[in-house]
């Protein structure tokens, strides 16, 4: 790539960025700007932009983007928007993605933090992350028309919590304190459940009967880190039992394995997802542990030019709540910065589908 800057009449300069393509020079950008004042800013912008131009390879992780639980939750709200003339309220973000929430809000969904913001008798959707029994009780007391979009894989963890609590066990819930999914699961048996995030938390546990310890995990954790925490738990409480390996869901596991297969080969990893998306955050951390610079971005507009200056191989993925269209837009953006060779790296294929709850299927 070369950047040309030529004096032009009337105190203007013309900057032209060119890059080689098919044996010839191709103009990437040409602008005119003042050679003083804000013109320097313009020049700096062009310089920065020009440094990002280069031929690149894009490694596309597969699976990526929407999982079955997220598709189901969005489908629930969309169905209700078509069927409920009196409005649709959604407690919390239906899934942790700003684009999804903004789109549904534009189409009429009203997102609230708590049930006291929902009018008596109104239709309210519980998000994919699940709710505690206390929330269900409050909704029933208020006479709300509840449609539950909790992912079936989160519901499974709730069932396990009730089962273990009924046996009189202490439940060690491995996950991030304060995350909505953990709040919901914790609410199933709060008097016998403790939340632990790491091996250090396991070391600090105070358990009344070490022979009656069971564990559950959040569905969207890092597979390798969770393994370490479970190992620490079993070392401290050899009789500890859990639900097989852990409760990390297929979508989280698959997206981590797909990115793991390419992250170390890339100069830069871009993960599409919102900052409150746990599984997206775990993808960024996974790439960083592989030694690669990695960033979580809401969409292509958040790609910073200076990330790209030395990146000739970029790995791209998207968290389970990030819409596929965001991936397409990111590819288009990168393709606008030089010839882009895109290769998809598929570690497994997904064909899981969760049917919508009966309450969302027909309201006629
Ligand atoms: Fe369900 Fe996993 Fe998707 Fe969460 S990430 S909605 S648990 S499938």
């Amino acid at each position: 790539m070369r950047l040309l800057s030529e004096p032009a009449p009337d105190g203007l300069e013309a900057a032209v960025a060119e890059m080689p393509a098919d044996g010839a020079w191709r103009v990437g950008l040409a602008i005119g700007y003042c050679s003083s004042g804000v013109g320097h800013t313009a020049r700096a912008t062009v310089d920065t932009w020009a440094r990002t131009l280069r031929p690149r390879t894009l490694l596309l992780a597969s699976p990526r983007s929407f999982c079955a639980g997220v598709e189901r939750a969005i489908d629930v709200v969309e169905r209700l928007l078509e069927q409920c003339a009196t409005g649709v309220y959604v407690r919390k973000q239906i899934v942790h993605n700003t684009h999804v929430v903004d789109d549904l809000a534009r189409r009429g969904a009203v997102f609230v933090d708590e049930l006291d913001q929902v009018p008596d008798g109104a239709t309210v959707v519980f998000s994919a992350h699940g709710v505690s029994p206390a929330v269900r009780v409050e909704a029933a007391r208020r006479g709300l028309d509840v449609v539950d979009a909790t992912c079936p894989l989160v519901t499974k963890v709730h069932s396990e919590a009730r089962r273990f609590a009924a046996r009189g066990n202490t439940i060690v819930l491995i996950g991030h304190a304060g995350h909505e999914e953990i709040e919901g699961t914790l609410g199933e048996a709060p008097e016998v459940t403790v939340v632990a995030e790491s091996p250090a938390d396991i070391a600090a546990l105070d358990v009344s009967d070490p022979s009656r310890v069971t564990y559950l995990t959040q569905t969207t954790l890092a597979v390798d880190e969770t393994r370490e925490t479970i190992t620490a738990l079993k070392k401290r409480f050899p009789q500890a039992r859990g639900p097989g390996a852990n409760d990390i869901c297929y979508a989280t596991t698959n997206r981590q394995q797909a990115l793991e297969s390419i992250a170390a080969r890339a100069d830069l990893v871009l993960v599409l997802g919102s900052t409150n998306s746990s599984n997206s955050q775990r993808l960024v951390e996974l790439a960083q542990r592989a030694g690669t610079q990695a960033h979580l971005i809401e969409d292509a507009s958040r790609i910073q030019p200076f990330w790209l200056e030395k990146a000739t191989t970029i790995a791209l993925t998207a968290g389970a709540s990030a819409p596929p269209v965001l991936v397409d837009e990111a590819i288009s953006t990168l393709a606008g910065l030089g010839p882009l060779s895109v290769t998809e790296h598929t570690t497994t294929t997904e064909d899981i589908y969760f049917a919508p709850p009966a309450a969302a299927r027909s309201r006629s």
Side-chain angles (χ1 to χ4, degrees):
M1 195 282 308
R2 62 186 181 187
L3 179 66
L4 312 174
S5 186
E6 296 290 336
D10 303 325
L12 294 175
E13 285 189 31
V16 178
E18 295 181 317
M19 64 185 310
D22 302 327
W25 286 94
R26 189 176 74 170
V27 174
L29 175 71
I31 66 166
Y33 57 92
C34 297
S35 57
S36 61
V38 294
H40 291 301
T41 305
R43 170 63 195 243
T45 303
V46 176
D47 284 353
T48 302
W49 178 85
R51 283 197 298 272
T52 68
L53 291 179
R54 65 173 64 205
R56 289 196 176 83
T57 298
L58 182 68
L59 312 175
L60 202 50
S62 174
R64 61 180 178 274
S65 197
F66 281 175
C67 62
V70 163
E71 285 179 339
R72 176 179 183 266
I74 295 169
D75 181 40
V76 165
V77 180
E78 288 176 334
R79 284 170 182 260
L80 294 175
L81 285 172
E82 283 175 12
Q83 299 175 54
C84 296
T86 53
V88 177
Y89 290 80
V90 184
R91 181 184 178 276
K92 309 287 185 190
Q93 291 191 337
I94 185 71
V95 300
H96 283 161
N97 186 269
T98 307
H99 288 276
V100 170
V101 170
D102 288 351
D103 176 53
L104 292 172
R106 261 193 308 273
R107 291 153 67 184
V110 180
F111 289 87
V112 298
D113 273 335
E114 291 303 340
L115 294 183
D116 58 13
Q117 296 166 268
V118 181
D120 287 348
T123 298
V124 62
V125 181
F126 290 160
S127 78
H129 306 101
V131 299
S132 71
V135 174
R136 294 184 192 282
V137 168
E138 174 61 8
R141 187 189 70 74
R142 297 272 318 284
L144 300 178
D145 169 31
V146 170
V147 183
D148 190 358
T150 302
C151 176
L153 300 182
V154 174
T155 301
K156 176 175 81 76
V157 182
H158 281 237
S159 307
E160 290 164 348
R162 289 194 295 274
R163 187 156 49 89
F164 289 145
R167 288 183 196 164
N169 292 351
T170 294
I171 299 170
V172 178
L173 180 55
I174 300 170
H176 300 289
H179 186 278
E180 281 158 42
E181 182 187 325
I182 288 293
E183 293 289 297
T185 309
L186 178 63
E188 292 288 351
E191 62 289 348
V192 296
T193 305
V194 290
V195 178
E197 290 197 17
S198 63
D201 290 344
I202 298 297
L205 283 180
D206 183 13
V207 170
S208 56
D209 184 351
S211 69
R212 300 177 77 88
V213 173
T214 53
Y215 66 87
L216 299 171
T217 76
Q218 190 176 332
T219 57
T220 51
L221 298 179
V223 173
D224 48 0
E225 287 183 342
T226 304
R227 199 179 295 127
E228 287 172 18
T229 307
I230 292 173
T231 299
L233 181 79
K234 287 186 169 172
K235 196 168 170 194
R236 181 145 180 232
F237 307 107
Q239 292 168 274
R241 295 286 174 267
N246 57 56
D247 297 300
I248 297 173
C249 75
Y250 81 95
T252 298
T253 304
N254 289 347
R255 279 148 192 71
Q256 288 177 19
Q257 286 176 346
L259 181 58
E260 199 167 26
S261 73
I262 54 176
R265 280 188 274 154
D267 306 309
L268 170 71
V269 170
L270 297 175
V271 178
L272 287 155
S274 291
T275 52
N276 60 344
S277 164
S278 173
N279 79 88
S280 302
Q281 291 278 14
R282 303 294 82 80
L283 290 170
V284 173
E285 292 165 4
L286 179 152
Q288 290 169 340
R289 282 199 297 278
T292 306
Q293 178 194 172
H295 300 282
L296 181 64
I297 51 172
E298 279 284 0
D299 53 46
S301 72
R302 309 299 174 91
I303 299 173
Q304 300 299 314
F306 66 89
W307 297 343
L308 305 176
E309 288 178 14
K310 293 185 179 145
T312 54
T313 302
I314 297 175
L316 179 66
T317 187
S321 48
V325 67
L326 299 181
V327 176
D328 298 338
E329 289 170 5
I331 294 171
S332 296
T333 298
L334 294 171
L337 297 172
L340 190 68
S341 164
V342 182
T343 55
E344 186 156 45
H345 297 262
T346 304
T347 48
T348 189
T349 53
E350 294 178 345
D351 57 4
I352 291 176
Y353 169 76
F354 295 137
R361 268 181 247 150
S362 175
R363 319 213 111 210
S364 52

